Amino acid sequence: MLYGVFCRLGRPAGEYPTLLGAVQAVSVVSWAFPEACWVVESQHSAEAVRDAFHAAIEPGDLALVFPMQVGPARWTSLKDWRFGRQFLQSALAREQSPANR
């Protein structure tokens, strides 16, 4: 499943010592784009992803986890974001494969 994870943090994401580990723990693959935002492909439930982020941030910080479908999504060329382009193209291919229908 693909999730959008959007955080409102009290300080820069790099200052949270366990946040990157939490992302890696619940992800098959992930793509960080603006500060404190990720697209995460995971075999875990939304609740498990939320709980991993919750454990890595401070009280008062916020983590929102949204299930996503790439198929109906549209994006710009992403010409300068090579990994992001590959990430989205791969997620779209997996979503459209007969095994996932």
Side-chain angles (χ1 to χ4, degrees):
M1 173 58 101
L2 203 60
Y3 299 102
V5 181
F6 307 95
C7 296
R8 189 198 72 208
L9 304 173
R11 56 183 204 257
E15 294 181 19
Y16 289 78
T18 60
L19 187 56
L20 183 56
V23 174
Q24 292 172 343
V26 295
S27 302
V28 173
V29 64
S30 66
W31 174 39
F33 53 107
E35 176 81 14
C37 296
W38 291 265
V39 178
V40 172
E41 186 170 349
S42 179
Q43 297 173 345
H44 297 279
S45 68
E47 291 82 6
V49 174
R50 178 208 53 210
D51 292 349
F53 275 81
H54 179 73
I57 61 178
E58 296 178 354
D61 290 341
L62 176 67
L64 302 170
V65 178
F66 295 97
M68 299 173 60
Q69 288 186 325
V70 180
R74 298 293 177 261
W75 51 83
T76 62
S77 68
L78 299 171
K79 65 180 179 171
D80 295 330
W81 293 31
R82 182 173 152 226
F83 179 78
R85 183 180 64 244
Q86 292 170 341
F87 178 92
L88 291 171
Q89 288 171 336
S90 295
L92 178 61
R94 281 187 294 279
E95 188 175 287
Q96 292 179 340
S97 75
N100 289 327
R101 291 187 181 203

